[in-house]
Amino acid sequence: MLRIHFTEADLARTRLASEPDPLWEIALSLHRLQTQQGRSAHAEWYRTTRTRLAAHGLEGVLRHLLLPLFPRTAYFPDFLTPAEGAQGLTAGLAALVDTPADRVRQEVARFVSVGAPPWAPRLVERDTRQDVADALRRYHEVAVAPYRERTLARVEADRSIRGRALLAGGLDGLLYGLRPQMRWEAPVLHVHYPAEDRDLRLDGRGLTLVPSYFCWGPPIALADSSLPPVLVYPVLREARPVAVDRPLGVLLGRTRAQVLRGIAPGTTTGELARLAGVSAPTVSQHITALRDAGLISSLRFGTSVLHTLTPLGAALLRGTGKPVSSVP
């Protein structure tokens, strides 16, 4: 069990990341390749990624470098997932390479104690870390980047649900809604953490919650409690693929019915395009048609436009026998 201790200052500084962290997505996708867990949720990714890795000549890099560097054990070095990853892949990889040698040496020593590959001590050398960064970039281009739109869609759906919990119940509501992997008993967040039993005291630094597409099972935190606190957790998932019911599909057309259902929790144009798997201009045409029919309304918020159901649109969905607002 991981127990995260909050103060009032920590509650004020707790935030939800707006996008998945590319280095955490790399690490956790590599975990997916080492286990049967999560196969059904990532079925298409499993089917295609191995083929793409082989086609790009990355099988050897995967087997001899990346999988040993990110084992599904109690520990892999924290410097492989630096905080700068939140600024994008390039910034994260640069921070990885620039990690001070003393810190790398300490983390590698711990890594060796739990079964690091024999070449791990060479990570102290900057050239070796640069080689690792180059390999991670190549892997990301082949195995992670092709799924960026799907990843963003799932993260945006998760953030929408978390945002509703925050609006309805404040931060208590947000933290309480993280169950079942986590249990909020103010002022402590209890995280099911099979690796070890420990306490993390935020001490006024706050906590960054990072939704992850490739995370499966328990959330993950950095091992070094002196680093900026983050907690990477799996996004909410559908119990089964969402299918458009036949009557609604016949009435509106399959894609337009998908768009209408996607609008139910309150959605932006970009989010709808990702969820429906169509271009922004195409989804805009469907939005216009639905708005002209009085089924949805649109409100500009900053640089985005938020679409919501009108009473008529909600009634139409209720008439299909499907819930109007469901957790993705």
Side-chain angles (χ1 to χ4, degrees):
M1 181 71 69
L2 170 65
R3 293 171 294 274
I4 303 177
H5 298 260
F6 288 75
T7 65
E8 288 186 7
D10 295 311
L11 290 172
R13 292 176 179 143
T14 292
R15 57 180 292 269
L16 185 63
S18 59
E19 292 191 358
D21 184 306
L23 286 175
W24 276 108
E25 293 304 277
I26 288 173
L28 294 167
S29 71
L30 288 166
H31 286 178
R32 301 281 65 75
L33 292 174
Q34 300 175 58
T35 177
Q36 295 288 329
Q37 294 180 0
R39 287 276 168 118
S40 59
H42 301 99
E44 182 184 347
W45 182 82
Y46 275 106
R47 286 195 300 269
T48 60
T49 296
R50 286 283 190 180
T51 301
R52 289 200 301 268
L53 289 169
H56 286 79
L58 289 175
E59 283 187 313
V61 171
L62 179 71
R63 185 180 306 109
H64 301 298
L65 176 64
L66 298 183
L67 293 180
L69 196 55
F70 293 90
R72 287 189 69 254
T73 60
Y75 179 78
F76 61 84
D78 288 333
F79 78 85
L80 296 173
T81 52
E84 290 82 355
Q87 303 168 29
L89 181 64
T90 297
L93 292 178
L96 185 159
V97 174
D98 291 338
T99 307
D102 286 345
R103 177 186 161 190
V104 176
R105 188 174 291 108
Q106 292 174 2
E107 294 188 7
V108 167
R110 179 173 182 175
F111 194 23
V112 169
S113 71
V114 296
W119 48 263
R122 297 207 309 271
L123 289 167
V124 175
E125 303 167 6
R126 182 184 176 88
D127 287 347
T128 300
R129 296 198 300 278
Q130 184 62 62
D131 290 340
V132 168
D134 293 342
L136 291 173
R137 184 181 293 279
R138 293 175 63 198
Y139 173 84
H140 183 272
E141 291 173 352
V142 173
V144 178
Y147 282 78
R148 175 173 170 76
E149 293 302 308
R150 180 172 304 182
T151 298
L152 286 175
R154 298 310 310 160
V155 168
E156 287 166 350
D158 184 274
R159 279 172 50 83
S160 176
I161 297 298
R162 307 301 179 190
R164 283 172 171 261
L166 181 64
L167 288 172
L171 196 58
D172 269 335
L174 170 63
L175 294 173
Y176 180 78
L178 294 172
R179 63 190 191 281
Q181 294 102 337
M182 295 171 261
R183 185 178 77 256
W184 173 239
E185 296 179 356
V188 180
L189 182 64
H190 301 260
V191 182
H192 295 289
Y193 210 67
E196 57 185 332
D197 188 78
R198 68 183 178 107
D199 292 271
L200 171 60
R201 300 186 183 278
L202 300 178
D203 295 329
R205 296 171 296 169
L207 178 68
T208 299
L209 295 164
V210 182
S212 168
Y213 178 74
F214 286 106
C215 186
W216 187 266
I220 302 177
L222 296 170
D224 187 347
S225 60
S226 69
L227 295 171
V230 300
L231 187 67
V232 183
Y233 69 91
V235 295
L236 293 164
R237 300 183 187 279
E238 295 168 339
R240 59 185 181 276
V242 174
V244 176
D245 46 285
R246 189 171 182 272
L248 189 61
V250 171
L251 176 65
L252 298 178
R254 181 176 179 81
T255 301
R256 191 162 296 172
Q258 275 187 314
V259 170
L260 182 64
R261 188 164 298 287
I263 287 172
T267 320
T268 66
T269 302
E271 292 167 354
L272 283 171
R274 295 185 185 104
L275 288 168
V278 297
S279 67
T282 298
V283 84
S284 293
Q285 293 175 4
H286 291 301
I287 288 169
T288 299
L290 293 170
R291 187 168 53 242
D292 290 346
L295 299 176
I296 68 170
S297 61
S298 302
L299 176 67
R300 181 165 293 281
F301 183 77
T303 59
S304 299
V305 177
L306 183 68
H307 309 287
T308 57
L309 295 175
T310 64
L312 179 60
L316 178 61
L317 288 184
R318 281 196 298 272
T320 69
K322 304 283 186 176
V324 171
S325 179
S326 58
V327 176

